[in-house]
Amino acid sequence: MICISLQSGSNGNAIYVEADGVRLLFDAGISGAQAEGRLRVHQRDIRKIDALLVSHDHTDHIRCAGIYQRKYNMPVYLTRRTQEATYCSLGPLQDVHYFQSGGVMRFGNVAVHTIPT
């Protein structure tokens, strides 16, 4: 497994995880240009990310989710409550998948266990 912290802190959060051929981005608190550049340093292409998973509705975790989806065509995974809390700031989302806190999401052979926040 490869885990790359693109940024962590009150100014924005984004973590890239790659395992068993699956590429996931957790949170979208930094600009697409920042994420793209930081991934490029690690020879990773943001356009090949399989999904964007949003942990919760704080701005430093979700502020650029709409842009990531529209610019990079990423499906977005979040809870309904998170989308409701941030709808106005995200803009229109086309490829949205909802998950239940405490549930498990599967991406190929990779399982993501969620917890309530």
Side-chain angles (χ1 to χ4, degrees):
M1 176 167 50
I2 296 168
C3 183
I4 302 168
S5 176
L6 303 178
Q7 185 160 311
S8 178
S10 59
N11 288 330
N13 293 276
I15 297 173
Y16 173 85
V17 175
E18 185 177 321
D20 204 16
V22 176
R23 296 167 300 274
L24 303 173
L25 184 63
F26 291 84
D27 292 329
I30 61 174
S31 75
Q34 288 175 310
E36 187 172 355
R38 291 173 189 177
L39 284 166
R40 192 178 313 113
V41 168
H42 296 278
Q43 294 80 46
R44 298 296 184 273
D45 183 351
I46 195 168
R47 288 169 182 79
K48 293 184 179 179
I49 290 176
D50 298 304
L52 167 62
L53 290 75
V54 177
S55 63
H56 63 286
D57 63 6
H58 289 172
T59 304
D60 58 324
H61 292 262
I62 195 168
R63 84 171 47 104
C64 297
I67 293 167
Y68 282 37
Q69 187 195 57
R70 291 185 292 277
K71 184 173 182 179
Y72 303 112
N73 204 29
M74 278 184 213
V76 176
Y77 290 74
L78 46 76
T79 65
R80 286 188 187 278
R81 186 172 170 190
T82 296
Q83 186 177 25
E84 290 166 4
T86 59
Y87 180 76
C88 291
S89 63
L90 293 180
L93 297 176
Q94 300 300 316
D95 192 1
V96 178
H97 304 266
Y98 298 106
F99 65 88
Q100 296 286 329
S101 294
V104 178
M105 291 182 285
R106 297 202 180 277
F107 301 90
N109 291 327
V110 176
V112 177
H113 297 261
T114 66
I115 58 173
T117 56

